[in-house]
Amino acid sequence: MAWRAVAGLTVVLALAGGPLPGQDDFAAAQGALRDGRPAAAAEVLTGLLARASAPTGALLYDLGLCLEQTGELAQAAWHYHRARLRLPRDPWLAERLGAVDRRLGTEAGPVAGLPWVTPGELLALAALLQGLGLAGLMLRRPRPLLRCAAFGLLLLGVLAGAALLHQQMLADPVATVLARDAELRTAPDTSAPATGRLRPGERVRIVDRVDGWIAAEHADQTGWVLADAVGVID
Amino acid sequence: MIARAMHRQLPAVAVGALAAMLPSQAERAFVEVRAEPETCFVQQPLLLRLRIGYDADWFAAHAVARFQQRLDLPVEVNAPWLEELAGAAILPADRDRDPAPAVTLVGNGRLLRATPADDATRNGVRYRVVEVVQRVLPRQAGELALAAPRLRFTFASRFLDDLMHGRMPADETTVTIAGQPRTIAVRPLPEAGRPAGFTGAVGRLKLRVTADRTAVAVGEPVTVTLEITGAGNLAFFAAPRLDDLPGFHVLGRTEAGDRTSRTFRYQLVPLHADLRAVPPIEFWHFDPEPPGAYRALRSASLPLRVEGGPGSTGPDPSTGPAPLPLMPPERGAVPVRLRPWWIGSVLGLPWLLALGWWALRRRRERLARDPAGARARAALARFEGEARRPGSDPAALLTDFLAARLRCPPAAVIGDELAQRLGAAGIEPALAEQAATVLAGLVAARYGSRDGAADPAAVIALVRRLDAAFAAQEGR
């Protein structure tokens, strides 16, 4: 049995030491950018993104960076916002996102996700705060100040948990308008009258979905827009 | 300025032609104003055409020069808005687009130059037309009111030949003709869809972006020039903002302009050596062509080689240029959608732990408050553990259990009144009697009697029944 364990460990270590999946594509994208071909780099990263089971924040950021250099600002903003869900405190991402939003004039739209933490981090924080608060309250002879502090921690933990549950289960998803001529219509039908026009890069809140259409809420106005015209920030 | 009026001789005409004049001399000329376009947006350049039409043949025969200076067209026109117009700025003439004016006349008390235009025919009369073109720029929404222009000229129906002065008018008549006032609606720029990068430019504009070099060191400035041309409010919008240009810091800006272009020169400092180009620059403006929309002019990216920095030897050619600041793709591999059961488990775990902790502590506290009960349970556990072992003393074990339950020393248990004492403790009489009998038998067996020997399993069952009965009594 011992030799089997040693062999298995060897295989695992060999795999761990080899190139990570997508490293070659990443290097190709870097090369294309180095050569001043951001469109080619974006194409490589788009392929990498399509093959990824779960996109990483860095991959989305890189793709947004390439698209921004090609002038596809709405697409760049969409990928930056998706990246922000995964890297909420990254200063480079925040800088690029702010710059693109300013250029698009879309700083004021709804924001997807949580402002400073990832959902996993908020979950861990909520559990930790609740655990500390409960432990403090269950001390055998707690001092009043300690009891107040414990109660405060417990309350914070409960609020954090509630915020997480709301964001994960109740909040409407947010999408970025990608099409140049997206129009809000009164019904999910291309022949329905248009009630407004959406600019590329604007963010809308998705309140319903029907057969290739989404009901989007934008600036106190709700209407139907083709689902292909927007990209969900997820 | 024309100082004073003076009669001058006009070319001779046949006097007999006077009889053929139209009934109203006012129809010998007209004055009107046209605006292009008819309505406009704020800051949209507007072309005002003051048109003067005159019957050229009739003027040649009958017009009388009213001013000392020789004029191509002996008329005086009055249109104050050529000089000043409330709510609008007067723009200089665009000599590149507008034809050179060639016809002199008097306007607003000074010499004006008009441009010949196409002839016009009205009511069967053919008019030669000249135009005074003025560009204005509406500065506020509302209406531009153009007062009715007035045209004044003098004519004579007959002339006398004078040996001294030549041809002199015999009867002078001065006619004033008024045109129609005009009102031009000026619409505000739409708020909806106004991009953040819009700095007030309005018109049909073009953008040209150039850089003064293609290689620069980190920290050294490169001059990027934005030249904006076209028909628009070139002198009236703010400079485009390049603060968000990725990888560059705007060190400074200068600007220049004339009637046909506006030029902005930015000193851009590359912040790191990873840059390979000046990214595309966007210039937002409002295009007033119907339906009117905000549009972006986007330049191509300008190739730029950025070397390591002042004093550096530049990148090592053997290693190639430095990589662009892409993030390693492994960063940020976190889920953004958590499974509900996972959230519930993690959030519920502290509460489950706390509940377990609380239950354990309650049990400990209860045990601590009931030493007799603890003694009884310990005795029961000891009985159950040892009763089946060979060589054990079931009588002593049962005695200890009963003593713990009756809260008395073991020696006080053994006696004839045990059944009564158990009954007094709440045990039903049959069970109490059975317990007393079994204990008596076990004690007798300790001393050799074979009558009291009991099955250990039966004794254990009896003790459990007794313990349950005692527990029920305590719970009650």
Side-chain angles (χ1 to χ4, degrees):
Chain A
M1 293 298 287
W3 68 269
R4 286 185 181 175
V6 171
L9 188 62
T10 305
V11 170
V12 168
L13 289 176
L15 288 175
L20 291 171
Q23 283 290 337
D24 291 343
D25 287 337
F26 180 66
Q30 269 193 318
L33 264 186
R34 223 172 15 225
D35 299 340
R37 295 181 292 120
E43 190 176 344
V44 172
L45 292 175
T46 302
L48 192 58
L49 186 63
R51 293 195 302 277
S53 57
T56 65
L59 180 56
L60 293 165
Y61 167 82
D62 293 342
L63 183 51
L65 199 65
C66 295
L67 290 168
E68 183 186 352
Q69 294 194 26
T70 62
E72 295 286 343
L73 293 186
Q75 290 272 355
W78 177 44
H79 286 97
Y80 283 150
H81 278 284
R82 296 182 70 198
R84 198 191 65 85
L85 294 179
R86 294 153 176 90
L87 297 166
R89 297 179 299 280
D90 187 273
W92 288 90
L93 173 59
E95 181 195 328
R96 296 310 331 138
L97 182 57
V100 170
D101 269 345
R102 278 195 294 278
R103 290 173 73 182
L104 288 167
T106 54
E107 300 102 313
V111 177
L114 303 156
W116 292 104
V117 292
T118 65
E121 289 170 343
L122 186 60
L123 178 61
L125 181 66
L128 179 67
L129 288 172
Q130 291 184 20
L132 288 174
L134 288 169
L137 288 177
M138 295 183 70
L139 285 178
R140 193 170 290 273
R141 289 173 187 168
R143 295 177 180 174
L145 189 61
L146 186 60
R147 186 181 288 272
C148 286
F151 185 76
L153 288 176
L154 179 61
L155 190 62
L156 283 177
V158 170
L159 289 176
L164 177 69
L165 287 171
H166 177 268
Q167 188 264 328
Q168 290 280 306
M169 298 179 181
L170 301 176
D172 294 325
V174 176
T176 303
V177 178
L178 302 178
R180 292 195 182 279
D181 301 316
E183 287 183 320
L184 280 177
R185 298 184 180 278
T186 55
D189 191 333
T190 51
S191 60
T195 58
R197 184 178 287 271
L198 298 171
R199 281 189 295 130
E202 282 185 320
R203 293 187 298 283
V204 297
R205 212 174 274 287
I206 299 174
V207 295
D208 200 1
R209 295 171 194 254
V210 170
D211 283 343
W213 290 81
I214 63 167
E217 188 180 272
H218 171 67
D220 298 332
Q221 189 181 12
T222 302
W224 292 91
V225 64
L226 279 168
D228 293 341
V230 302
V232 180
I233 300 173
D234 60 1
Chain B
M1 177 67 75
I2 304 300
R4 61 187 180 84
M6 174 183 173
H7 299 300
R8 283 187 62 84
Q9 184 177 5
L10 290 175
V13 296
V15 175
L18 295 177
M21 288 193 309
L22 289 173
S24 168
Q25 304 307 332
E27 292 182 23
R28 295 299 181 183
F30 69 84
V31 62
E32 65 181 11
V33 59
R34 288 184 181 174
E36 297 175 7
E38 296 285 336
T39 63
C40 64
F41 289 93
V42 172
Q43 292 286 332
Q44 177 185 359
L46 194 64
L47 204 63
L48 301 180
R49 295 180 186 274
L50 179 66
R51 289 164 54 83
I52 302 156
Y54 61 99
D55 182 344
D57 294 336
W58 184 87
F59 260 68
H62 300 284
V64 175
R66 301 183 62 235
F67 301 100
Q68 186 176 22
Q69 182 169 344
R70 180 178 179 83
L71 301 172
D72 298 324
L73 181 60
V75 299
E76 180 184 11
V77 68
N78 186 267
W81 39 264
L82 288 174
E83 316 287 340
E84 186 175 359
L85 180 57
I90 304 296
L91 299 180
D94 186 350
R95 289 175 185 161
D96 293 337
R97 277 192 290 251
D98 297 339
V103 179
T104 53
L105 67 152
V106 171
N108 296 335
R110 65 183 177 88
L111 186 68
L112 274 186
R113 295 185 185 276
T115 306
D118 294 337
D119 290 354
T121 302
R122 297 183 181 181
N123 298 325
V125 180
R126 187 174 183 83
Y127 295 92
R128 188 168 295 171
V129 179
V130 296
E131 291 180 344
V132 178
V133 177
Q134 181 63 62
R135 295 178 183 278
V136 300
L137 187 80
R139 305 299 300 271
Q140 61 194 40
E143 288 182 345
L144 287 182
L146 305 179
R150 293 181 181 278
L151 180 70
R152 200 171 179 202
F153 61 90
T154 302
F155 72 93
S157 60
R158 60 191 177 88
F159 292 83
L160 300 174
D161 287 328
D162 187 293
L163 287 175
M164 292 292 293
H165 300 99
R167 186 171 179 263
M168 294 295 292
D171 55 337
E172 281 188 18
T173 306
T174 297
V175 177
T176 300
I177 300 170
Q180 294 294 320
R182 286 292 302 268
T183 301
I184 300 167
V186 180
R187 287 178 285 172
L189 296 180
E191 290 292 336
R194 180 176 296 186
F198 178 69
T199 55
V202 177
R204 305 221 76 184
L205 302 173
K206 294 178 181 174
L207 172 70
R208 181 166 165 266
V209 179
T210 54
D212 67 338
R213 63 191 73 184
T214 56
V216 69
V218 170
E220 289 183 353
V222 54
T223 301
V224 173
T225 302
L226 275 66
E227 186 185 16
I228 297 158
T229 57
N233 60 341
L234 289 170
F236 294 87
F237 61 84
R241 290 190 292 268
L242 301 190
D243 304 336
D244 296 334
L245 207 60
F248 290 89
H249 171 68
V250 180
L251 196 63
R253 185 193 74 228
T254 60
E255 60 184 77
D258 53 25
R259 288 187 293 272
T260 58
S261 71
R262 183 98 176 269
T263 303
F264 300 94
R265 290 187 175 83
Y266 293 85
Q267 301 286 316
L268 300 181
V269 177
L271 297 177
H272 49 82
D274 303 324
L275 299 166
R276 292 295 172 270
V278 177
I281 293 173
E282 271 187 349
F283 172 65
W284 280 96
H285 68 288
F286 183 79
D287 185 350
E289 284 297 306
Y294 292 98
R295 300 190 192 284
L297 297 172
R298 186 175 292 116
S299 72
S301 60
L302 302 173
L304 186 69
R305 185 164 55 85
V306 181
E307 297 173 355
S312 78
T313 57
D316 181 359
S318 63
T319 58
L324 283 159
L326 293 181
M327 283 188 203
E330 307 83 36
R331 280 195 60 201
V334 296
V336 294
R337 282 285 155 198
L338 303 177
R339 298 178 189 280
W341 66 265
W342 179 242
I343 298 176
S345 301
V346 175
L347 289 182
L349 185 64
W351 293 91
L352 282 176
L353 289 175
L355 190 64
W357 185 7
W358 176 79
L360 189 63
R361 200 172 76 185
R362 280 289 305 268
R363 177 181 162 80
R364 284 184 176 171
E365 287 173 354
R366 195 178 69 236
L367 293 179
R369 285 197 302 267
D370 182 16
R375 180 182 161 201
R377 282 185 288 275
L380 175 62
R382 198 165 61 247
F383 186 92
E384 291 181 337
E386 297 182 5
R388 293 175 191 272
R389 287 184 190 166
S392 64
D393 185 0
L397 292 171
L398 182 56
T399 303
D400 285 346
F401 171 75
L402 291 172
R405 279 300 183 191
L406 293 171
R407 302 170 194 249
C408 63
V413 171
I414 299 173
D416 295 338
E417 69 280 10
L418 177 59
Q420 287 80 13
R421 293 179 65 191
L422 288 172
I427 305 300
E428 59 183 56
L431 183 59
E433 192 62 42
Q434 183 185 1
T437 304
V438 168
L439 182 58
L442 290 174
V443 171
R446 182 190 288 170
Y447 299 105
S449 172
R450 301 183 64 86
D451 297 339
D455 178 16
V459 176
I460 289 173
L462 173 67
V463 169
R464 285 178 179 164
R465 286 176 60 199
L466 282 169
D467 189 60
F470 274 113
Q473 285 301 316
E474 287 174 358
R476 192 179 299 161

Short mmCIF file of all heavy atoms in Angstrom, two decimals, chain A residues 188-208:
data_model
loop_
_atom_site.label_atom_id
_atom_site.label_comp_id
_atom_site.label_asym_id
_atom_site.label_seq_id
_atom_site.Cartn_x
_atom_site.Cartn_y
_atom_site.Cartn_z
N PRO A 188 -42.96 42.50 -24.84
CA PRO A 188 -41.85 41.72 -25.39
C PRO A 188 -42.10 41.35 -26.84
O PRO A 188 -42.31 40.18 -27.18
CB PRO A 188 -41.79 40.50 -24.47
CG PRO A 188 -43.15 40.35 -23.94
CD PRO A 188 -43.72 41.71 -23.82
N ASP A 189 -42.08 42.33 -27.68
CA ASP A 189 -42.39 42.14 -29.10
C ASP A 189 -41.72 43.28 -29.87
O ASP A 189 -41.81 44.44 -29.47
CB ASP A 189 -43.92 42.18 -29.30
CG ASP A 189 -44.30 41.72 -30.70
OD1 ASP A 189 -43.45 41.87 -31.61
OD2 ASP A 189 -45.43 41.22 -30.88
N THR A 190 -41.08 42.92 -30.97
CA THR A 190 -40.38 43.97 -31.73
C THR A 190 -41.34 44.97 -32.37
O THR A 190 -40.92 46.06 -32.74
CB THR A 190 -39.52 43.33 -32.85
OG1 THR A 190 -40.35 42.45 -33.59
CG2 THR A 190 -38.35 42.58 -32.28
N SER A 191 -42.60 44.60 -32.47
CA SER A 191 -43.56 45.55 -33.05
C SER A 191 -44.21 46.43 -31.98
O SER A 191 -44.98 47.32 -32.33
CB SER A 191 -44.64 44.80 -33.82
OG SER A 191 -45.32 43.92 -32.95
N ALA A 192 -43.92 46.15 -30.72
CA ALA A 192 -44.51 46.97 -29.66
C ALA A 192 -43.88 48.36 -29.67
O ALA A 192 -42.71 48.51 -30.05
CB ALA A 192 -44.29 46.32 -28.30
N PRO A 193 -44.64 49.39 -29.28
CA PRO A 193 -44.07 50.74 -29.31
C PRO A 193 -42.89 50.89 -28.36
O PRO A 193 -42.88 50.30 -27.28
CB PRO A 193 -45.23 51.64 -28.88
CG PRO A 193 -46.39 50.76 -28.67
CD PRO A 193 -46.03 49.36 -28.88
N ALA A 194 -41.92 51.66 -28.79
CA ALA A 194 -40.75 51.91 -27.96
C ALA A 194 -41.03 53.08 -27.03
O ALA A 194 -41.62 54.08 -27.43
CB ALA A 194 -39.55 52.22 -28.84
N THR A 195 -40.63 52.93 -25.79
CA THR A 195 -40.86 53.98 -24.80
C THR A 195 -39.58 54.69 -24.41
O THR A 195 -39.61 55.67 -23.69
CB THR A 195 -41.50 53.41 -23.54
OG1 THR A 195 -40.63 52.41 -23.02
CG2 THR A 195 -42.85 52.80 -23.84
N GLY A 196 -38.46 54.18 -24.85
CA GLY A 196 -37.20 54.82 -24.49
C GLY A 196 -36.06 54.12 -25.17
O GLY A 196 -36.21 53.04 -25.71
N ARG A 197 -34.94 54.78 -25.12
CA ARG A 197 -33.75 54.22 -25.76
C ARG A 197 -32.67 54.07 -24.69
O ARG A 197 -32.55 54.91 -23.79
CB ARG A 197 -33.27 55.17 -26.86
CG ARG A 197 -32.09 54.66 -27.66
CD ARG A 197 -31.76 55.66 -28.74
NE ARG A 197 -32.73 55.64 -29.82
CZ ARG A 197 -32.63 54.84 -30.87
NH1 ARG A 197 -31.64 54.00 -30.97
NH2 ARG A 197 -33.54 54.88 -31.81
N LEU A 198 -31.93 52.99 -24.78
CA LEU A 198 -30.87 52.74 -23.82
C LEU A 198 -29.52 52.97 -24.50
O LEU A 198 -29.33 52.57 -25.64
CB LEU A 198 -30.94 51.29 -23.31
CG LEU A 198 -32.22 50.92 -22.57
CD1 LEU A 198 -32.26 49.42 -22.31
CD2 LEU A 198 -32.31 51.68 -21.26
N ARG A 199 -28.64 53.61 -23.75
CA ARG A 199 -27.32 53.87 -24.31
C ARG A 199 -26.38 52.73 -23.96
O ARG A 199 -26.49 52.13 -22.89
CB ARG A 199 -26.76 55.18 -23.73
CG ARG A 199 -27.34 56.40 -24.38
CD ARG A 199 -26.60 57.64 -23.92
NE ARG A 199 -26.81 57.87 -22.49
CZ ARG A 199 -25.82 58.10 -21.64
NH1 ARG A 199 -24.59 58.10 -22.03
NH2 ARG A 199 -26.06 58.30 -20.36
N PRO A 200 -25.43 52.42 -24.83
CA PRO A 200 -24.46 51.38 -24.50
C PRO A 200 -23.71 51.72 -23.22
O PRO A 200 -23.29 52.86 -23.02
CB PRO A 200 -23.50 51.39 -25.71
CG PRO A 200 -24.29 51.98 -26.81
CD PRO A 200 -25.23 52.96 -26.18
N GLY A 201 -23.58 50.73 -22.36
CA GLY A 201 -22.87 50.92 -21.10
C GLY A 201 -23.79 51.22 -19.93
O GLY A 201 -23.39 51.09 -18.78
N GLU A 202 -25.01 51.64 -20.21
CA GLU A 202 -25.94 51.90 -19.11
C GLU A 202 -26.29 50.59 -18.41
O GLU A 202 -26.33 49.54 -19.04
CB GLU A 202 -27.21 52.57 -19.64
CG GLU A 202 -27.04 54.04 -19.93
CD GLU A 202 -28.35 54.70 -20.33
OE1 GLU A 202 -29.12 54.07 -21.07
OE2 GLU A 202 -28.59 55.82 -19.91
N ARG A 203 -26.56 50.71 -17.13
CA ARG A 203 -26.92 49.51 -16.38
C ARG A 203 -28.41 49.54 -16.04
O ARG A 203 -28.95 50.60 -15.71
CB ARG A 203 -26.10 49.39 -15.10
CG ARG A 203 -24.64 49.14 -15.39
CD ARG A 203 -23.86 48.86 -14.14
NE ARG A 203 -23.87 49.98 -13.22
CZ ARG A 203 -23.14 51.07 -13.37
NH1 ARG A 203 -22.34 51.18 -14.40
NH2 ARG A 203 -23.18 52.04 -12.49
N VAL A 204 -29.05 48.38 -16.18
CA VAL A 204 -30.48 48.27 -15.90
C VAL A 204 -30.68 47.13 -14.92
O VAL A 204 -29.85 46.24 -14.79
CB VAL A 204 -31.29 48.00 -17.19
CG1 VAL A 204 -31.16 49.14 -18.15
CG2 VAL A 204 -30.83 46.71 -17.85
N ARG A 205 -31.80 47.18 -14.23
CA ARG A 205 -32.15 46.12 -13.29
C ARG A 205 -33.14 45.18 -13.98
O ARG A 205 -34.12 45.64 -14.57
CB ARG A 205 -32.78 46.73 -12.04
CG ARG A 205 -32.51 45.99 -10.79
CD ARG A 205 -33.04 46.74 -9.60
NE ARG A 205 -32.08 47.71 -9.10
CZ ARG A 205 -30.99 47.41 -8.44
NH1 ARG A 205 -30.69 46.15 -8.20
NH2 ARG A 205 -30.19 48.35 -8.00
N ILE A 206 -32.88 43.91 -13.93
CA ILE A 206 -33.73 42.94 -14.61
C ILE A 206 -34.82 42.51 -13.63
O ILE A 206 -34.53 41.94 -12.58
CB ILE A 206 -32.92 41.71 -15.06
CG1 ILE A 206 -31.83 42.15 -16.03
CG2 ILE A 206 -33.82 40.68 -15.70
CD1 ILE A 206 -30.89 41.03 -16.42
N VAL A 207 -36.07 42.77 -14.01
CA VAL A 207 -37.17 42.43 -13.11
C VAL A 207 -37.99 41.25 -13.63
O VAL A 207 -38.82 40.70 -12.90
CB VAL A 207 -38.08 43.66 -12.87
CG1 VAL A 207 -37.33 44.74 -12.14
CG2 VAL A 207 -38.62 44.20 -14.18
N ASP A 208 -37.79 40.85 -14.88
CA ASP A 208 -38.54 39.70 -15.40
C ASP A 208 -37.86 39.23 -16.68
O ASP A 208 -37.10 39.97 -17.32
CB ASP A 208 -40.00 40.12 -15.69
CG ASP A 208 -40.91 38.90 -15.75
OD1 ASP A 208 -40.41 37.77 -15.56
OD2 ASP A 208 -42.12 39.08 -16.00
#
